């Protein structure tokens, strides 16, 4: 992390916490739908869907 000012550090931490919250919500929605997948696999699947839809 190459941030030197307090405000830049706070923004970086905010983005990290936001990413964790989004990952948690993704996994919870997947579990609710009956998909027992890790966040990494969910992101891979979403990336493949995005690649297929742009063809």
């Amino acid at each position: 992390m190459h941030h030197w000012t307090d405000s830049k550090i706070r923004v970086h931490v905010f983005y990290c916490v936001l990413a964790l919250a989004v990952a948690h919500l993704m996994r919870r929605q997947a579990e609710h739908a009956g998909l027992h997948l890790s966040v990494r696999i969910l992101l891979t699947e979403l990336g493949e869907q995005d690649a297929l839809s742009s063809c």
Side-chain angles (χ1 to χ4, degrees), residues 7-27:
S7 64
K8 288 184 179 182
I9 293 170
R10 285 188 184 115
V11 168
H12 180 82
V13 170
F14 171 75
Y15 284 145
C16 291
V17 171
L18 182 62
L20 287 171
V22 169
H24 173 74
L25 290 173
M26 265 182 25
R27 191 151 192 271

Side-chain angles (χ1 to χ4, degrees), residues 31-49:
E31 288 281 330
H32 184 71
L35 301 171
H36 305 288
L37 303 171
S38 69
V39 172
R40 184 181 304 259
I41 292 173
L42 286 169
L43 289 173
T44 301
E45 293 290 325
L46 286 172
E48 289 172 2
Q49 292 297 317

